[in-house]
Amino acid sequence: MSMADAVGIWNDELEDQYLAAEYVIMRREKWDHRYMEIAHTVAKWSKDPSTQVGAILVAPGGRQIFWGYNGFPAGVLDAPDLLADREQKYPRVIHAEANALLMSNTDLSDWVCYCTLMPCSNCTAMLIQKGITRVVVPKLTGKHDHWQESFRVARHMADQVGMKIEELTHVI
């Protein structure tokens, strides 16, 4: 076999590997968008008039899902006047990610969290503790500037443990 033949075979093998990798990436992106759609649907269940957040926890293989949205604990009065007053609302609200984690009753190692907003530092700490290895969020906008320091700390913690935080460039 000549060197040219060997290079040709190598290139064919590389091309096959490249095409297989592209297929996997395209398939994952398709499912990322589908799960993010579900997270946005779940977010609409929140009664919070200013920010509705949804979170979906997805098992490897996608066969098991837990969900949560931001809101008051079950049984706590979520009257419109309490929801409209941030000083009254914030101490009562359970974040979407925390709600999803509370709904889970299994080992979450290597699961993915799809969240309609970047998780705060507290929720990121809980996701790390439960073994979540990847978090998918929409591209951040300036709407939540008051959370920027918490988001910075969250990203720093995620980097330290190898948790991937990926932004979707557009949501279907």
Coordinates of all heavy atoms in Angstrom, one line a residue, residues 13-86:
E13 N -11.7 7.2 7.0 CA -12.1 6.8 8.4 C -12.4 8.1 9.2 O -13.3 8.1 10.0 CB -10.9 6.0 9.1 CG -10.8 4.6 8.5 CD -9.6 3.9 9.1 OE1 -9.0 4.4 10.1 OE2 -9.3 2.8 8.5
L14 N -11.6 9.1 9.0 CA -11.8 10.4 9.8 C -13.1 11.0 9.3 O -13.9 11.5 10.2 CB -10.7 11.3 9.5 CG -9.4 11.1 10.3 CD1 -8.3 12.1 9.9 CD2 -9.6 11.2 11.8
E15 N -13.4 10.9 8.1 CA -14.7 11.5 7.6 C -15.9 10.7 8.2 O -16.8 11.4 8.6 CB -14.8 11.4 6.1 CG -16.0 12.1 5.5 CD -16.1 12.1 4.0 OE1 -15.1 11.7 3.3 OE2 -17.1 12.5 3.5
D16 N -15.8 9.4 8.3 CA -16.9 8.6 8.9 C -17.0 9.0 10.4 O -18.1 9.2 10.9 CB -16.6 7.1 8.8 CG -16.8 6.6 7.3 OD1 -17.4 7.4 6.5 OD2 -16.3 5.5 7.1
Q17 N -15.9 9.2 11.1 CA -16.0 9.6 12.5 C -16.5 10.9 12.6 O -17.3 11.2 13.5 CB -14.6 9.5 13.1 CG -14.0 8.1 13.3 CD -12.6 8.1 13.7 OE1 -12.0 9.1 14.0 NE2 -12.0 6.9 13.9
Y18 N -16.1 11.9 11.7 CA -16.6 13.2 11.8 C -18.1 13.3 11.6 O -18.9 13.9 12.3 CB -15.9 14.1 10.7 CG -16.5 15.5 10.6 CD1 -16.1 16.5 11.5 CD2 -17.4 15.8 9.6 CE1 -16.6 17.7 11.4 CE2 -17.9 17.1 9.5 CZ -17.5 18.1 10.4 OH -18.0 19.3 10.3
L19 N -18.6 12.5 10.5 CA -20.0 12.5 10.3 C -20.8 11.9 11.4 O -21.9 12.4 11.8 CB -20.3 11.7 9.0 CG -19.8 12.4 7.7 CD1 -20.0 11.4 6.5 CD2 -20.5 13.7 7.5
A20 N -20.3 10.9 12.1 CA -20.9 10.2 13.2 C -21.0 11.2 14.4 O -22.0 11.4 15.0 CB -20.2 9.0 13.6
A21 N -19.9 12.0 14.6 CA -19.9 13.0 15.7 C -20.9 14.1 15.4 O -21.6 14.6 16.3 CB -18.5 13.5 15.8
E22 N -21.0 14.5 14.1 CA -21.9 15.6 13.7 C -23.4 15.1 14.0 O -24.2 15.9 14.5 CB -21.7 15.9 12.2 CG -20.6 16.9 12.0 CD -20.8 18.2 12.5 OE1 -21.8 18.9 12.2 OE2 -19.9 18.7 13.3
Y23 N -23.7 13.9 13.7 CA -25.0 13.3 13.9 C -25.3 13.4 15.4 O -26.4 13.8 15.8 CB -25.1 11.9 13.3 CG -26.4 11.2 13.7 CD1 -27.5 11.5 13.0 CD2 -26.5 10.3 14.7 CE1 -28.8 10.9 13.3 CE2 -27.7 9.7 15.1 CZ -28.8 10.0 14.4 OH -30.0 9.5 14.7
V24 N -24.4 13.0 16.2 CA -24.6 13.0 17.7 C -24.9 14.4 18.2 O -25.8 14.6 18.9 CB -23.4 12.3 18.4 CG1 -23.5 12.5 19.9 CG2 -23.4 10.8 18.1
I25 N -24.1 15.3 17.7 CA -24.3 16.7 18.1 C -25.6 17.3 17.6 O -26.3 17.9 18.4 CB -23.1 17.6 17.5 CG1 -21.8 17.2 18.3 CG2 -23.4 19.1 17.7 CD1 -20.6 17.8 17.6
M26 N -26.0 17.0 16.4 CA -27.3 17.5 15.9 C -28.4 16.9 16.7 O -29.4 17.5 17.0 CB -27.4 17.2 14.4 CG -26.5 18.1 13.5 SD -26.5 17.6 11.8 CE -28.1 17.0 11.4
R27 N -28.3 15.6 17.0 CA -29.4 14.9 17.7 C -29.5 15.5 19.1 O -30.6 15.7 19.6 CB -29.0 13.4 17.8 CG -30.2 12.6 18.3 CD -29.9 11.1 18.1 NE -31.1 10.3 18.5 CZ -31.2 9.8 19.7 NH1 -30.3 9.9 20.6 NH2 -32.3 9.1 20.0
R28 N -28.3 15.8 19.8 CA -28.3 16.3 21.1 C -29.0 17.7 21.1 O -29.8 18.1 21.9 CB -26.9 16.4 21.7 CG -27.0 16.8 23.2 CD -25.7 16.8 23.8 NE -25.0 18.0 23.5 CZ -23.8 18.3 23.9 NH1 -23.1 17.5 24.6 NH2 -23.2 19.4 23.6
E29 N -28.6 18.5 20.1 CA -29.1 19.9 20.0 C -30.7 19.8 19.8 O -31.4 20.6 20.4 CB -28.5 20.6 18.8 CG -27.1 21.1 19.1 CD -26.4 21.7 18.0 OE1 -27.0 21.8 16.9 OE2 -25.2 22.2 18.1
K30 N -31.1 18.9 19.0 CA -32.6 18.7 18.8 C -33.3 18.5 20.1 O -34.3 19.1 20.5 CB -32.8 17.6 17.8 CG -34.3 17.3 17.6 CD -34.5 16.3 16.5 CE -34.2 14.9 17.1 NZ -34.5 13.8 16.2
W31 N -32.7 17.5 20.9 CA -33.3 17.2 22.2 C -33.1 18.3 23.2 O -34.0 18.6 24.0 CB -32.7 15.9 22.7 CG -33.4 14.7 22.0 CD1 -32.9 14.0 21.0 CD2 -34.7 14.2 22.3 NE1 -33.8 13.0 20.6 CE2 -35.0 13.2 21.4 CE3 -35.7 14.6 23.2 CZ2 -36.2 12.5 21.3 CZ3 -36.9 13.9 23.1 CH2 -37.1 12.9 22.2
D32 N -32.0 19.0 23.1 CA -31.8 20.2 24.0 C -33.0 21.2 23.8 O -33.6 21.7 24.8 CB -30.5 20.9 23.8 CG -29.3 20.2 24.3 OD1 -29.5 19.3 25.1 OD2 -28.2 20.6 24.0
H33 N -33.3 21.5 22.6 CA -34.4 22.4 22.3 C -35.8 21.8 22.7 O -36.6 22.6 23.3 CB -34.4 22.7 20.8 CG -33.3 23.7 20.4 ND1 -33.4 25.0 20.7 CD2 -32.2 23.5 19.8 CE1 -32.3 25.6 20.3 NE2 -31.5 24.7 19.7
R34 N -36.0 20.5 22.6 CA -37.2 19.9 23.0 C -37.4 20.0 24.5 O -38.5 20.4 25.0 CB -37.3 18.5 22.6 CG -37.5 18.3 21.1 CD -37.5 16.8 20.7 NE -37.8 16.7 19.3 CZ -37.7 15.6 18.6 NH1 -37.3 14.5 19.3 NH2 -38.0 15.5 17.4
Y35 N -36.3 19.7 25.3 CA -36.4 19.8 26.7 C -36.5 21.2 27.2 O -37.2 21.5 28.2 CB -35.2 19.1 27.4 CG -35.2 17.6 27.3 CD1 -34.1 16.9 26.7 CD2 -36.3 16.8 27.7 CE1 -34.2 15.5 26.6 CE2 -36.4 15.5 27.6 CZ -35.3 14.8 27.0 OH -35.3 13.4 26.9
M36 N -35.9 22.1 26.5 CA -36.1 23.5 26.9 C -37.5 24.0 26.6 O -38.0 24.8 27.4 CB -35.1 24.4 26.1 CG -35.0 25.8 26.6 SD -34.5 26.0 28.4 CE -32.8 25.6 28.3
E37 N -38.1 23.5 25.6 CA -39.5 23.8 25.4 C -40.4 23.3 26.5 O -41.3 24.0 27.0 CB -40.1 23.1 24.1 CG -39.7 23.8 22.8 CD -40.4 23.2 21.6 OE1 -41.6 23.1 21.6 OE2 -39.6 22.8 20.7
I38 N -40.1 22.2 27.0 CA -40.8 21.6 28.2 C -40.6 22.5 29.4 O -41.5 22.8 30.1 CB -40.4 20.2 28.5 CG1 -40.8 19.3 27.3 CG2 -41.1 19.7 29.8 CD1 -40.3 17.8 27.4
A39 N -39.3 22.9 29.6 CA -39.0 23.8 30.7 C -39.8 25.1 30.6 O -40.3 25.6 31.6 CB -37.5 24.1 30.8
H40 N -39.9 25.7 29.4 CA -40.7 26.9 29.3 C -42.2 26.7 29.5 O -42.9 27.5 30.1 CB -40.5 27.5 27.9 CG -39.2 28.3 27.7 ND1 -39.1 29.5 28.2 CD2 -38.0 28.0 27.2 CE1 -37.9 30.0 28.0 NE2 -37.2 29.0 27.4
T41 N -42.7 25.5 29.2 CA -44.1 25.2 29.5 C -44.3 25.1 31.0 O -45.2 25.7 31.5 CB -44.5 23.9 28.8 OG1 -44.4 24.0 27.4 CG2 -45.9 23.5 29.2
V42 N -43.4 24.4 31.7 CA -43.5 24.3 33.1 C -43.4 25.7 33.8 O -44.1 25.9 34.8 CB -42.4 23.3 33.6 CG1 -42.3 23.3 35.2 CG2 -42.7 21.9 33.2
A43 N -42.5 26.5 33.3 CA -42.4 27.9 33.8 C -43.7 28.6 33.9 O -43.9 29.4 34.8 CB -41.3 28.7 33.0
K44 N -44.5 28.4 32.9 CA -45.8 29.1 32.8 C -46.7 28.7 34.0 O -47.7 29.4 34.2 CB -46.5 28.8 31.5 CG -45.8 29.4 30.3 CD -46.4 28.9 29.0 CE -45.6 29.4 27.8 NZ -46.1 28.8 26.5
W45 N -46.4 27.7 34.7 CA -47.2 27.2 35.8 C -47.0 28.1 37.1 O -47.7 28.1 38.0 CB -47.0 25.8 36.2 CG -47.4 24.8 35.0 CD1 -48.1 25.1 33.9 CD2 -46.9 23.5 34.9 NE1 -48.2 24.0 33.1 CE2 -47.4 23.0 33.7 CE3 -46.1 22.7 35.7 CZ2 -47.2 21.7 33.2 CZ3 -45.9 21.4 35.2 CH2 -46.4 20.9 34.0
S46 N -45.9 28.8 37.1 CA -45.5 29.7 38.2 C -46.5 30.9 38.3 O -46.9 31.4 37.2 CB -44.1 30.3 38.0 OG -43.8 31.3 39.0
K47 N -46.9 31.2 39.5 CA -47.8 32.3 39.7 C -47.1 33.6 39.9 O -47.7 34.7 40.0 CB -48.7 32.1 40.9 CG -49.6 30.9 40.6 CD -50.5 30.6 41.8 CE -51.4 29.4 41.6 NZ -52.3 29.1 42.7
D48 N -45.7 33.6 39.8 CA -44.9 34.8 40.0 C -45.2 35.8 38.9 O -45.0 35.4 37.7 CB -43.4 34.4 40.1 CG -42.6 35.6 40.5 OD1 -42.9 36.8 40.1 OD2 -41.5 35.4 41.1
P49 N -45.7 37.0 39.2 CA -46.0 37.9 38.1 C -44.8 38.5 37.4 O -44.9 39.0 36.3 CB -46.8 39.0 38.8 CG -46.3 39.0 40.2 CD -46.0 37.5 40.5
S50 N -43.6 38.5 38.0 CA -42.4 39.1 37.4 C -41.5 38.2 36.7 O -40.9 38.5 35.7 CB -41.7 40.0 38.5 OG -41.2 39.1 39.5
T51 N -41.3 37.0 37.3 CA -40.3 36.0 36.7 C -40.9 34.6 36.8 O -41.1 34.1 38.0 CB -39.0 36.1 37.5 OG1 -38.5 37.5 37.4 CG2 -37.9 35.2 36.8
Q52 N -41.1 34.0 35.7 CA -41.5 32.6 35.7 C -40.4 31.7 35.2 O -39.9 31.9 34.1 CB -42.7 32.4 34.8 CG -43.9 33.2 35.3 CD -45.1 33.1 34.5 OE1 -45.1 33.1 33.3 NE2 -46.3 33.0 35.1
V53 N -39.9 30.8 36.1 CA -38.8 29.9 35.7 C -39.2 28.5 35.8 O -39.9 28.1 36.7 CB -37.6 30.2 36.7 CG1 -36.4 29.3 36.3 CG2 -37.2 31.7 36.7
G54 N -38.8 27.7 34.8 CA -39.0 26.3 34.8 C -37.7 25.5 34.8 O -36.7 26.0 34.2
A55 N -37.6 24.3 35.4 CA -36.4 23.5 35.3 C -36.9 22.1 35.1 O -37.9 21.6 35.6 CB -35.6 23.6 36.6
I56 N -36.1 21.4 34.2 CA -36.3 20.0 33.9 C -35.1 19.2 34.2 O -34.0 19.6 33.7 CB -36.7 19.8 32.4 CG1 -37.9 20.6 32.0 CG2 -36.9 18.3 32.1 CD1 -39.2 20.2 32.7
L57 N -35.1 18.2 35.0 CA -34.0 17.3 35.2 C -34.2 16.0 34.3 O -35.2 15.4 34.4 CB -33.9 16.9 36.7 CG -33.8 18.0 37.7 CD1 -33.8 17.5 39.1 CD2 -32.6 18.9 37.4
V58 N -33.2 15.7 33.5 CA -33.3 14.6 32.5 C -32.2 13.6 32.7 O -31.0 14.0 32.8 CB -33.3 15.2 31.1 CG1 -33.4 14.0 30.1 CG2 -34.4 16.2 30.9
A59 N -32.6 12.4 32.8 CA -31.7 11.3 33.0 C -30.9 11.0 31.8 O -31.4 11.3 30.7 CB -32.4 10.0 33.4
P60 N -29.7 10.4 31.9 CA -29.0 9.9 30.7 C -29.9 9.0 29.9 O -30.6 8.2 30.4 CB -27.8 9.2 31.2 CG -27.6 9.7 32.6 CD -29.0 10.1 33.1
G61 N -30.0 9.2 28.6 CA -31.0 8.5 27.8 C -32.3 9.1 27.7 O -33.2 8.7 26.9
G62 N -32.7 10.1 28.5 CA -33.9 10.8 28.4 C -35.2 10.1 28.9 O -36.3 10.6 28.6
R63 N -35.1 9.0 29.5 CA -36.3 8.2 29.8 C -36.9 8.6 31.2 O -38.0 8.2 31.5 CB -35.9 6.7 29.9 CG -35.4 6.2 28.6 CD -36.4 5.6 27.8 NE -35.9 5.1 26.5 CZ -36.6 4.8 25.5 NH1 -37.9 4.9 25.6 NH2 -36.0 4.4 24.4
Q64 N -36.2 9.4 32.0 CA -36.8 9.8 33.3 C -36.6 11.3 33.4 O -35.5 11.9 33.1 CB -36.0 9.1 34.4 CG -36.7 9.1 35.7 CD -36.0 8.1 36.7 OE1 -34.9 7.6 36.4 NE2 -36.6 7.9 37.8
I65 N -37.7 12.0 33.9 CA -37.7 13.4 34.0 C -38.3 13.9 35.3 O -39.3 13.3 35.7 CB -38.4 14.1 32.8 CG1 -37.8 13.8 31.5 CG2 -38.6 15.6 33.0 CD1 -38.5 14.2 30.3
F66 N -37.7 14.9 35.9 CA -38.4 15.6 37.0 C -38.5 17.1 36.7 O -37.6 17.6 35.9 CB -37.6 15.4 38.3 CG -37.5 14.0 38.8 CD1 -36.3 13.3 38.7 CD2 -38.6 13.4 39.4 CE1 -36.3 12.0 39.1 CE2 -38.5 12.1 39.9 CZ -37.4 11.4 39.7
W67 N -39.5 17.7 37.1 CA -39.7 19.1 36.8 C -40.0 20.0 38.0 O -40.4 19.4 39.0 CB -40.8 19.3 35.7 CG -42.1 18.6 36.1 CD1 -42.5 17.4 35.8 CD2 -43.1 19.1 37.0 NE1 -43.7 17.1 36.4 CE2 -44.1 18.1 37.1 CE3 -43.2 20.3 37.7 CZ2 -45.2 18.3 37.9 CZ3 -44.4 20.5 38.5 CH2 -45.3 19.5 38.6
G68 N -39.8 21.3 37.9 CA -40.1 22.2 38.9 C -40.2 23.6 38.4 O -39.7 23.9 37.3
Y69 N -41.0 24.4 39.1 CA -41.1 25.9 38.7 C -41.0 26.7 40.0 O -41.1 26.2 41.1 CB -42.4 26.2 38.0 CG -43.6 25.7 38.7 CD1 -44.3 26.6 39.6 CD2 -44.2 24.5 38.5 CE1 -45.5 26.2 40.2 CE2 -45.3 24.0 39.1 CZ -45.9 24.9 40.0 OH -47.1 24.5 40.7
N70 N -40.7 28.0 39.8 CA -40.5 28.8 41.0 C -41.9 29.2 41.6 O -42.9 29.4 40.9 CB -39.8 30.1 40.7 CG -40.4 31.0 39.6 OD1 -40.9 30.5 38.6 ND2 -40.6 32.3 39.9
G71 N -42.0 29.0 42.9 CA -43.2 29.3 43.6 C -43.1 29.1 45.1 O -42.1 28.6 45.6
F72 N -44.2 29.4 45.8 CA -44.3 29.2 47.2 C -44.4 27.7 47.5 O -44.9 26.9 46.7 CB -45.4 29.9 47.8 CG -45.3 31.4 47.8 CD1 -46.4 32.2 48.3 CD2 -44.2 32.1 47.3 CE1 -46.3 33.6 48.3 CE2 -44.1 33.5 47.3 CZ -45.2 34.2 47.8
P73 N -44.0 27.3 48.7 CA -44.2 25.9 49.1 C -45.6 25.5 49.0 O -46.5 26.3 49.2 CB -43.6 25.8 50.5 CG -42.7 27.0 50.7 CD -43.3 28.0 49.8
A74 N -45.9 24.2 48.8 CA -47.2 23.7 48.8 C -48.0 24.0 50.0 O -47.5 23.9 51.1 CB -47.2 22.1 48.6
G75 N -49.2 24.6 49.9 CA -50.0 24.9 51.0 C -49.8 26.3 51.6 O -50.6 26.8 52.3
V76 N -48.7 27.0 51.1 CA -48.5 28.4 51.6 C -49.3 29.3 50.6 O -49.2 29.2 49.4 CB -47.0 28.7 51.5 CG1 -46.8 30.2 51.8 CG2 -46.3 27.9 52.5
L77 N -50.0 30.2 51.2 CA -50.9 31.1 50.5 C -50.1 31.9 49.5 O -49.1 32.6 49.9 CB -51.6 32.1 51.4 CG -52.5 33.1 50.8 CD1 -53.7 32.5 50.1 CD2 -53.0 34.1 51.9
D78 N -50.4 31.9 48.2 CA -49.7 32.6 47.2 C -50.6 33.7 46.6 O -50.9 33.8 45.4 CB -49.1 31.7 46.1 CG -50.2 30.8 45.5 OD1 -51.4 31.0 45.8 OD2 -49.8 29.9 44.7
A79 N -51.0 34.6 47.6 CA -51.9 35.7 47.2 C -51.2 36.7 46.3 O -50.0 36.9 46.5 CB -52.4 36.4 48.5
P80 N -51.9 37.3 45.4 CA -51.3 38.3 44.5 C -50.5 39.4 45.2 O -49.5 39.8 44.7 CB -52.5 38.8 43.7 CG -53.5 37.7 43.7 CD -53.3 37.1 45.1
D81 N -51.0 39.8 46.3 CA -50.3 40.9 47.0 C -48.9 40.5 47.6 O -48.0 41.2 47.6 CB -51.2 41.5 48.1 CG -51.6 40.5 49.2 OD1 -51.9 39.4 48.8 OD2 -51.6 40.9 50.4
L82 N -48.8 39.2 48.0 CA -47.5 38.7 48.4 C -46.6 38.5 47.2 O -45.4 38.8 47.3 CB -47.7 37.3 49.1 CG -48.4 37.4 50.5 CD1 -48.6 36.0 51.0 CD2 -47.6 38.2 51.5
L83 N -47.1 38.0 46.1 CA -46.3 37.8 44.9 C -45.8 39.1 44.3 O -44.8 39.1 43.7 CB -47.1 37.0 43.9 CG -47.3 35.5 44.3 CD1 -48.4 34.9 43.4 CD2 -46.0 34.7 44.1
A84 N -46.6 40.2 44.5 CA -46.2 41.4 43.9 C -45.2 42.2 44.8 O -44.5 43.1 44.3 CB -47.4 42.3 43.7
D85 N -45.0 41.8 46.0 CA -44.1 42.5 47.0 C -42.8 41.7 47.1 O -42.8 40.6 47.8 CB -44.8 42.7 48.3 CG -44.0 43.4 49.4 OD1 -42.8 43.6 49.1 OD2 -44.5 43.7 50.4
R86 N -41.7 42.1 46.5 CA -40.5 41.3 46.5 C -40.0 41.0 47.9 O -39.5 40.0 48.2 CB -39.4 42.0 45.7 CG -39.7 42.0 44.3 CD -38.5 42.6 43.5 NE -38.9 42.5 42.0 CZ -38.1 42.4 41.1 NH1 -36.8 42.5 41.3 NH2 -38.5 42.3 39.8

